[in-house]
Amino acid sequence: MLSLKCTPPYMSGVSLITLPQKSSHIVVCGARGPRPRYPRVWRTTKRIGTISKSQKLVECIKGLSNVKEEVYGALDSFIAWDLEFPLIVVKKSLKTLEFEKEWKRIIQVIKWMFSKGQGRTMGTYYTLLNALAEDGRLEEAEELWTKIFSENLENLPRIFFMKMISLYYKKDEHEKMFEIFADMEELGVRPDQTIVNMLADVFEKLGMLDKCDKLKSKYPPPTWEYRYFKGRRVRKQVKQIYSSNMRPELPFDNGVTTEYVRNSI
């Protein structure tokens, strides 16, 4: 019996090549030989995030002098190739400078950002006010406070009142403390316990014991407080007894965000 084998026309002239089981980056072609695979040029391994970019911004302005044109020129060249203003990068660099207590650099960066028409928020204004107060520029801090207070009369956060009262408490300017406290009561802003302690201490120094007692009876110390622990709001009973003999703690010295509430039960 005869058996005939016919080779298909599309298989003629092509040699079969056995490929190894392990895949490699070289693709073997029967006609032209091995062809290397090059990495794609549009995929980069180095990625610059906002944290590393903010660190570069801090390093860029740290070694400069205090000349306005030099600092502004360095900041302009840093964001020259950005399509949009890097607001997040600048805010993170401000946090780094605030942690390192570089108050002059904070003032320069914020004023440069304001000149670009960016970042005019309450948080940025408070950072600028705090930097001016820590740098000893009392007149500029008062001008900024007057501007913020006149523009945001009804929705000004309590943190600004606390900062100005603590600033005047350090400078022993009691009349200005009383003026800001009167504005707080007129606007219906409840003072924090640190403000009450500072005002009570000033009343005792001036011999106004009746006003001190009236202030303490109007704003008694809280029995409960809320602390933020690992991103959660936890209610905790106050163990510390506030007295007039204690030195009043200035706000934000301990780095813990605390909100005092009076127990109504």
Side-chain angles (χ1 to χ4, degrees):
M1 185 176 180
L2 297 176
S3 62
L4 299 176
K5 292 184 179 180
C6 181
T7 305
Y10 57 86
M11 294 292 293
S12 61
V14 179
S15 59
L16 297 177
I17 300 174
T18 58
L19 296 176
Q21 295 181 357
K22 296 183 179 180
S23 60
S24 61
H25 296 286
I26 299 176
V27 179
V28 180
C29 181
R32 298 183 180 180
R35 181 163 56 92
R37 291 285 189 182
Y38 296 101
R40 297 175 180 176
V41 295
W42 60 86
R43 286 188 179 181
T44 58
T45 56
K46 296 182 180 180
R47 295 182 179 180
I48 301 178
T50 55
I51 298 178
S52 59
K53 197 171 182 180
S54 63
Q55 292 176 355
K56 289 183 179 180
L57 178 59
V58 172
E59 294 174 359
C60 175
I61 63 176
K62 257 191 173 182
L64 302 177
S65 63
N66 292 327
V67 181
K68 176 182 176 181
E69 289 77 11
E70 183 178 357
V71 177
Y72 281 26
L75 292 172
D76 290 337
S77 61
F78 186 82
I79 65 167
W81 297 100
D82 291 333
L83 299 178
E84 296 180 356
F85 187 83
L87 189 60
I88 300 177
V89 175
V90 177
K91 289 295 183 69
K92 289 183 179 180
S93 62
L94 287 175
K95 287 293 183 182
T96 305
L97 292 172
E98 188 176 3
F99 179 76
E100 297 177 358
K101 297 183 179 181
E102 296 284 345
W103 308 118
K104 291 184 179 180
R105 296 302 182 194
I106 291 175
I107 296 170
Q108 292 170 350
V109 172
I110 291 179
K111 288 185 176 181
W112 167 78
M113 184 169 57
F114 285 170
S115 66
K116 301 295 181 181
Q118 302 288 336
R120 294 182 179 272
T121 60
M122 284 295 176
T124 311
Y125 278 122
Y126 178 76
T127 305
L128 179 58
L129 182 64
N130 185 32
L132 290 172
E134 294 292 338
D135 198 34
R137 304 184 187 181
L138 184 58
E139 295 181 358
E140 295 184 21
E142 288 178 346
E143 291 179 2
L144 180 63
W145 160 255
T146 306
K147 177 184 177 182
I148 297 173
F149 184 74
S150 59
E151 293 179 355
N152 306 275
L153 189 61
E154 297 181 355
N155 57 352
L156 189 64
R158 185 177 60 178
I159 189 174
F160 286 89
F161 295 99
M162 295 171 64
K163 186 61 187 178
M164 292 305 297
I165 289 179
S166 63
L167 176 61
Y168 290 140
Y169 179 78
K170 291 179 180 179
K171 300 293 182 180
D172 292 332
E173 298 185 5
H174 303 150
E175 295 295 332
K176 295 182 179 179
M177 285 181 61
F178 299 152
E179 291 178 2
I180 294 180
F181 182 70
D183 293 335
M184 290 183 66
E185 288 191 331
E186 186 177 356
L187 294 174
V189 180
R190 183 178 178 84
D192 196 10
Q193 194 62 32
T194 53
I195 298 178
V196 176
N197 291 338
M198 284 187 282
L199 290 170
D201 186 59
V202 171
F203 283 143
E204 288 184 357
K205 287 181 180 179
L206 298 177
M208 303 177 181
L209 299 179
D210 52 345
K211 291 187 178 181
C212 180
D213 296 336
K214 188 183 295 184
L215 178 67
K216 290 181 179 179
S217 61
K218 187 176 182 180
Y219 302 105
T223 56
W224 296 91
E225 67 181 4
Y226 285 101
R227 290 184 178 270
Y228 291 91
F229 179 72
K230 293 184 179 180
R232 297 178 60 186
R233 195 182 184 199
V234 181
R235 187 183 181 187
K236 184 180 179 182
Q237 190 172 5
V238 179
K239 295 181 180 180
Q240 184 179 6
I241 301 175
Y242 297 95
S243 61
S244 59
N245 297 327
M246 295 173 53
R247 177 187 174 274
E249 296 181 359
L250 298 180
F252 317 110
D253 284 348
N254 52 1
V256 180
T257 306
T258 308
E259 181 184 355
Y260 295 98
V261 292
R262 183 182 177 185
N263 186 16
S264 58
I265 301 176

